[in-house]
Amino acid sequence: MEFLDVVRRRKTTNGPFLPDPVRPEHQRLLMEVAGRAPSQLNSQPWRFVIVENRDTIERVAEISGESMTEAMSNGTFFERYKPYFRFSAEEMGEKRSGMLFDRLPAALKPFTKQVFTPRGQKMMNTFRVPQTLGEENRKLVAGSPLLLGVMLDRSEYRPGELSSFYSVFSMGAAMENVWLTTVELGMGIQFVSFPMEVPGKWTQIEQLLRVPAELELMAVYRLGYVPQEQRRPAIDWSSHERKLASQYVFRETCETPQQGWDDPEDR
């Protein structure tokens, strides 16, 4: 597969994976490409923990599902991320960023524009949307054959200092290498983020993975092989659109947007 094709096909996998274990040679390759990422002064601040134990994955799944339900029930998730939610193709076409909620149960569709109001939150809770999404999230994580914990060495990751920025930047480069390689291997990947949204839940993950004091757990991802056909859940979203070049590229100074690079087909 050509490199640029891999970059253009990169995406987050919102659906389930095949139950097949991730082949050892693929696990090793993913870690190799992660280790080849650039880092400040070749510090290589990243550390990884690969998890295949079913009991551990099931427990992480429970924590993730519980976290999603709680964050959506009390409204903190919608309040925190409402600038990124889109509820129509027209809005998505204009913003060209965020998440388009294009799949909702019929009973909820009339209330999508009210989701960020007290009435909308009450309606979501009445229809048990947080519980539905939480259970879907639990199933997705539990059905993953492999989890990947990403950590930083605290001797390099020192918040408030430049080394912290360098470490996070390097970690991002390492994970982009992993993400792109999953495309080549017929795999998918998704950030297990909800335990970070609820106080105390991330600590449970750290304890479960026995993260030592000298390391900081930064992220957990679920990985697996992607089936050829995926069924979308009852509540789902898409994020295929990308901003036009003129919306994020400037020429010479930040006062002049780049002209002539926008693809007419993307307008």
Side-chain angles (χ1 to χ4, degrees):
M1 189 179 298
E2 294 292 334
F3 175 73
L4 289 180
D5 185 44
V6 168
V7 173
R8 289 164 178 152
R9 290 181 54 195
R10 184 218 60 81
K11 64 179 181 180
T12 297
T13 303
N14 293 329
F17 298 129
L18 294 172
D20 310 49
V22 177
R23 292 160 55 181
E25 60 268 32
H26 288 172
Q27 295 182 30
R28 182 174 181 177
L29 178 60
L30 291 173
M31 292 298 90
E32 178 193 343
V33 298
R36 290 184 177 276
S39 60
Q40 174 72 0
L41 300 175
N42 196 28
S43 56
Q44 303 175 61
W46 47 71
R47 304 290 185 273
F48 300 92
V49 55
I50 297 170
V51 180
E52 293 183 284
N53 180 275
R54 292 311 312 167
D55 290 339
T56 303
I57 293 176
E58 290 281 354
R59 182 58 189 138
V60 172
E62 290 175 5
I63 295 170
S64 184
E66 293 166 359
S67 301
M68 189 174 198
T69 296
E70 183 174 342
M72 290 195 165
S73 294
N74 61 26
T76 58
F77 178 78
F78 293 108
E79 182 62 29
R80 188 173 296 159
Y81 298 111
K82 62 184 178 182
Y84 308 102
F85 292 168
R86 316 285 179 243
F87 295 103
S88 70
E90 292 74 20
E91 183 183 14
M92 193 64 169
E94 176 186 353
K95 301 286 188 180
R96 304 195 66 81
S97 65
M99 313 294 288
L100 173 62
F101 283 76
D102 59 345
R103 185 172 175 82
L104 292 168
L108 284 178
K109 290 182 179 179
F111 305 100
T112 53
K113 292 185 178 180
Q114 304 174 46
V115 69
F116 300 122
T117 66
R119 183 186 178 206
Q121 183 66 58
K122 183 177 179 180
M123 187 63 63
M124 295 269 285
N125 290 345
T126 298
F127 282 99
R128 296 182 60 81
V129 172
Q131 287 78 8
T132 298
L133 288 173
E135 178 59 14
E136 288 287 343
N137 180 268
R138 185 198 67 78
K139 290 179 180 178
L140 281 178
V141 178
S144 305
L146 185 146
L147 298 182
L148 180 65
V150 186
M151 299 161 289
L152 286 177
D153 185 336
R154 287 181 185 272
S155 67
E156 300 289 340
Y157 176 67
R158 300 189 295 271
E161 299 184 23
L162 270 176
S163 64
S164 179
F165 166 77
Y166 295 146
S167 295
V168 173
F169 190 88
S170 299
M171 182 189 73
M175 282 311 302
E176 181 70 0
N177 282 359
V178 170
W179 214 300
L180 293 175
T181 304
T182 62
V183 180
E184 176 76 15
L185 299 179
M187 296 176 61
I189 183 171
Q190 185 181 36
F191 186 19
V192 182
S193 60
F194 271 95
M196 304 181 81
E197 303 284 347
V198 178
K201 295 295 187 182
W202 197 244
T203 301
Q204 294 180 27
I205 302 288
E206 292 174 324
Q207 294 171 346
L208 190 63
L209 300 182
R210 300 181 184 178
V211 179
E214 64 268 21
L215 298 180
E216 176 83 13
L217 182 65
M218 303 297 292
V220 173
Y221 295 86
R222 67 184 194 94
L223 296 93
Y225 297 108
V226 180
Q228 289 187 344
E229 295 184 8
Q230 292 195 53
R231 290 183 300 173
R232 300 183 69 187
I235 301 174
D236 196 19
W237 49 85
S238 63
S239 58
H240 305 302
E241 286 78 3
R242 292 294 184 270
K243 288 184 178 294
L244 301 171
S246 60
Q247 294 176 299
Y248 67 94
V249 180
F250 301 91
R251 176 65 64 175
E252 305 301 345
T253 74
C254 295
E255 297 177 337
T256 309
Q258 172 66 46
Q259 300 297 317
W261 285 5
D262 293 352
D263 189 336
E265 295 182 1
D266 290 335
R267 290 183 176 276

